Amino acid sequence: MALNELTILFVEDDPVFRKLVTSYLTSRGAKVVEADDGEQGLNSFKAERFDLVIADLSMPKLGGLDMLKAMNQFRPGTPSIIISGNQAMADVIEALRHGACDYLVKPVTDLYLIENAIRESLNDSLENSLNLDEQESLSYLELNENLALLEQCGEAAKSVQQQLFPPSCIEYNGVVIDYSLFNTDEVSAHFIDTAMIDENHVMMYMAHFHPHDNRAAFASVLLKSFVNHKLKRYRNGISQAITEPYNMLVYLNDRMSKSGLGIVADMTYIVVELTHYRAAIAQAGSEFRCYLKNSEGLSPIALSSSLQLGMADWSKPSLQFRTLQLGEKLCISTLVNEHKQQLVKDQFHGLVYDPDSTPGGYMQLSLK
């Protein structure tokens, strides 16, 4: 879809910046409807159909995040791009959780960045209609200001990352996932996440970033964003990759290696199909082990080692399939004996900061 075919809602309380961007996009052929606060933006959204929404996060009357949530409830699936200053990083993460395609950091000195973000955010619909090979935006990887902030300020990095972690016990229909992660520094080098993909599939993963510094916080944001991208495509009927651990690690390796962060990651990614309790497990690196757990203890699942995600000469991940039997639980753990002992004893605490602990942890999927 060319820009001259788009109707865009631009919600921004700075009148100078709003007029500047509107004039640029109009000169490129787009129809732009302006709103100067979130409340006006939501009213415009309800009154007219838009191909895309661009919104500042920090606005009077109704903030950009609450506005996007309300828009998503009223008419889900409309692509959105958010614009933010560094101080709103927590809201940026929340907006990505609620389906925002991309975000830009103020000040936006090159207006072509906005045009490029629009084109990239609409790639999904373009690919679906034209059957092009899958691509997606990497523009949010170029956020040098955010990266610099997280590198310099451990407290900011810690705050950003902690908001990404789920509670220690996550309950879905028919499934419970518990975990413990032990961290000795401001920012955790380990990251976990999980999602109910649909009523028949649940996924979980554990990652370990190297080197261990504040960049791990940014890598956590990116990893979650990459996975959420595939989750959204699955729910829109475009891609099955989120349910295919092997393909997910191939995809994540490509994204991490092109991120410019200089970070590599061990990762184990698991999807359980709940009709037949069949688990597909893919692994990169050698940091983790997978186990089947029953009343007799832990039984290891054989997975060969491979290179970490993000390495230039990365090879294919290892892959295994298992069918869970009645009473069995599926686990991922770091190679620390004390972690395995706590896992056997069902000791789950979520994210724990303990300078005297051994970094790492474990997670467990149980069928109700």
Side-chain angles (χ1 to χ4, degrees), residues 202-267:
V202 63
M203 73 85 179
M204 66 179 186
Y205 63 83
M206 181 179 288
H208 183 199
F209 301 114
H210 309 265
H212 182 185
D213 56 29
N214 290 349
R215 285 176 294 173
F218 202 73
S220 301
V221 175
L222 292 182
L223 182 59
K224 188 174 180 71
S225 298
F226 293 145
V227 173
N228 282 353
H229 172 78
K230 289 298 187 184
L231 181 59
K232 181 179 178 181
R233 291 178 64 86
Y234 178 85
R235 291 174 176 171
N236 288 336
I238 298 172
S239 170
Q240 298 288 315
I242 191 76
T243 64
E244 302 165 342
Y246 181 95
N247 289 331
M248 276 300 293
L249 288 196
V250 171
Y251 160 75
L252 292 172
N253 174 71
D254 180 67
R255 298 302 87 189
M256 292 297 291
S257 63
K258 294 177 180 178
S259 70
L261 286 178
I263 279 185
V264 297
D266 296 272
M267 186 170 180

Side-chain angles (χ1 to χ4, degrees), residues 169-178 194-196 198-204 272-275 277 324 330 364-368:
C169 179
I170 309 105
E171 294 193 35
Y172 300 118
N173 291 333
V175 177
V176 177
I177 296 176
D178 302 280
T194 177
M196 195 76 188
D198 59 22
E199 61 182 9
N200 293 318
H201 296 87
V202 63
M203 73 85 179
M204 66 179 186
V272 179
E273 187 272 307
L274 298 175
T275 303
Y277 305 121
L324 301 180
L330 187 57
Q364 171 180 284
L365 181 147
S366 310
L367 302 174
K368 290 184 181 178

Side-chain angles (χ1 to χ4, degrees), residues 1 3 6 8 50-55 77-83 96 99-104 112-128 135-140 229 232-233 236 238:
M1 184 180 292
L3 253 63
L6 297 180
I8 297 171
F50 295 93
D51 299 301
L52 183 100
V53 175
I54 304 174
T78 303
S80 59
I81 297 170
I82 54 177
I83 301 176
L96 290 172
C101 300
D102 203 348
Y103 66 94
L104 300 172
Y112 179 73
L113 291 176
I114 295 180
E115 179 180 347
N116 185 62
I118 291 170
R119 295 183 186 279
E120 294 286 2
S121 295
L122 295 170
N123 267 354
D124 285 351
S125 57
L126 281 168
E127 291 158 13
N128 193 34
Q135 301 173 358
E136 76 286 337
S137 170
L138 287 178
S139 59
Y140 54 82
H229 172 78
K232 181 179 178 181
R233 291 178 64 86
N236 288 336
I238 298 172

Side-chain angles (χ1 to χ4, degrees), residues 278-292:
R278 184 168 170 80
I281 308 163
Q283 182 167 283
S286 57
E287 168 74 11
F288 306 115
R289 289 291 182 271
C290 287
Y291 301 93
L292 291 175

